[in-house]
Amino acid sequence: MHFHFVALLYFRETVERGSIRQAAEALNVAASAINRQILKLEEQLGCDLFERVSGGMRLTGAGEVFHAYVLRHAQDFERTLSEIEDLRGIRRGHVTICCEEGFAKDFLPRVLRPFHQQFPRVTYKVDVAGLPAVVAAVEDGTADIGIGFEPDFDTDLRRAAEVHVELGAAMAHEHPLAGRANLHLSELVGEALILPDANYDIHDRLNKLMQGAGLKLSRIFETNSFEAMTSLIIAGLGIGLRTRVGISAEIARGEIAFVPIADRAFRSTQVVILTKARRAPPVAAALLCERMAAMFAALAEKKAPGAYGH
């Protein structure tokens, strides 16, 4: 069964707006045109998609099922349009990126600035989430590109690029340990620590390492936000165990000192760029992914300004 794209567009907008009138205003078309297309869909499907209620439109059970179908196929249609437009030389498109918090702060601006200058008609959506949500967004097609620390669980996603980044102790510049070339974890016993919570691989790795060594660290703060961790570190409330991702500007300004960890089992972690394995991304997303991979390679070789180290 085939459906006219305009009818699907009108249907989706009506669902999102809650009424034909508001959908018509948003799309700048006549309300009668939207109503006519919805009636055609209902006739084609042989069932009512909406209940006409006071003040708007409410999906029926069949309407809910059809709405899910429309959302799935809308993503594929928009990707197809992006590729066709690129082939026509229009150089436009849309890229959805889902990444962990630190990457949105310093990595994305560095890679997107030159890309946007070259392709000013490409638009973007950036979602910030924890690693499980990043992986899920790429798996279900909500995001074209995912960026995060190495997943500690199985996934069928393609690793478009990966790089090892240095783990270290981040602290206020006036901290007594700030001038050290490196630190062993055993030297942090008794120090007030600010740690990522169980949403992050660093948390589990640190727990296992400490248990194996018979050491106990003082966890003063645990947080699922690297931005919160950064603020707490600058305030002098403790030492954060993390990578340079998301704090390169603070390090450059002298607000934070970053001292690498010397323990072999906790020297680094891996950052990955994830894409769908069995489906080619839109042209704009594929090209952006290549640029990201090139920057990752430069970071790994410490050729880029503000490299994260490895």
Side-chain angles (χ1 to χ4, degrees):
M1 187 177 291
H2 299 286
F3 303 102
H4 197 284
F5 172 71
V6 172
L8 299 182
L9 174 64
Y10 288 178
F11 170 80
R12 186 174 67 170
E13 196 69 28
T14 301
V15 174
E16 292 177 358
R17 302 289 175 175
S19 76
I20 288 177
R21 180 183 60 79
Q22 291 183 27
E25 290 175 357
L27 295 171
N28 196 27
V29 298
S32 59
I34 293 180
N35 188 56
R36 187 163 52 250
Q37 291 293 340
I38 289 174
L39 290 174
K40 285 183 179 179
L41 281 175
E42 290 179 327
E43 182 181 356
Q44 191 175 359
L45 291 166
C47 61
D48 291 337
L49 297 175
F50 291 99
E51 293 178 31
R52 276 70 173 175
V53 297
S54 176
M57 306 278 278
R58 184 168 59 205
L59 286 172
T60 62
E64 294 278 3
V65 173
F66 188 66
H67 184 229
Y69 165 86
V70 170
L71 290 180
R72 286 196 303 272
H73 287 269
Q75 292 172 355
D76 291 335
F77 184 82
E78 287 163 3
R79 286 189 174 92
T80 302
L81 278 183
S82 175
E83 294 189 27
I84 291 172
E85 287 170 345
D86 193 82
L87 290 172
R88 289 169 55 196
I90 297 176
R91 295 295 182 185
R92 69 172 60 165
H94 183 76
V95 183
T96 300
I97 304 162
C98 190
C99 64
E100 292 192 77
E101 190 176 21
F103 301 99
K105 183 180 177 184
D106 55 15
F107 177 74
L108 278 185
R110 279 194 283 170
V111 72
L112 286 177
R113 183 177 180 181
F115 191 84
H116 180 63
Q117 288 173 341
Q118 186 175 0
F119 304 107
R121 300 181 73 181
V122 173
T123 59
Y124 311 88
K125 184 175 188 295
V126 177
D127 290 324
V128 176
L131 181 61
V134 170
V135 171
V138 180
E139 285 179 337
D140 67 21
T142 305
D144 301 305
I145 301 170
I147 311 172
F149 293 102
E150 174 71 16
D152 60 353
F153 49 87
D154 292 335
T155 173
D156 292 331
L157 297 178
R158 183 175 74 92
R159 285 164 169 74
E162 53 192 23
V163 62
H164 285 280
V165 294
E166 203 169 38
L167 285 166
M171 63 197 79
H173 231 281
E174 60 271 17
H175 194 284
L177 297 175
R180 293 283 299 275
N182 56 55
L183 283 168
H184 287 276
L185 290 172
S186 59
E187 297 179 85
L188 299 178
V189 173
E191 295 286 344
L193 296 183
I194 307 165
L195 302 176
D197 70 7
N199 288 297
Y200 295 93
D201 173 59
I202 293 174
H203 182 278
D204 290 338
R205 285 179 59 191
L206 186 62
N207 277 347
K208 291 175 184 175
L209 193 60
M210 292 299 95
Q211 288 171 5
L215 299 174
K216 187 173 182 180
L217 299 179
S218 302
R219 302 164 186 267
I220 305 302
F221 295 97
E222 278 194 359
T223 177
N224 66 349
S225 168
F226 278 100
E227 281 296 290
M229 180 186 285
T230 300
S231 297
L232 294 169
I233 292 168
I234 292 173
L237 292 172
I239 296 175
L241 292 179
R242 57 177 298 164
T243 70
R244 289 185 176 90
V245 174
I247 56 171
S248 56
E250 287 81 359
I251 294 171
R253 291 195 298 263
E255 296 173 343
I256 290 178
F258 184 88
V259 181
I261 296 297
D263 301 70
R264 182 177 295 276
F266 203 73
R267 281 184 186 173
S268 68
T269 188
Q270 190 158 265
V271 174
V272 292
I273 296 175
L274 302 170
T275 60
K276 196 91 169 179
R278 297 180 181 85
R279 182 174 64 190
V283 174
L287 186 56
L288 177 58
C289 198
E290 288 178 8
R291 301 291 176 86
M292 289 180 175
M295 182 168 282
F296 264 34
L299 289 173
E301 297 171 12
K302 294 191 177 181
K303 291 181 179 178
Y308 298 137
H310 68 295

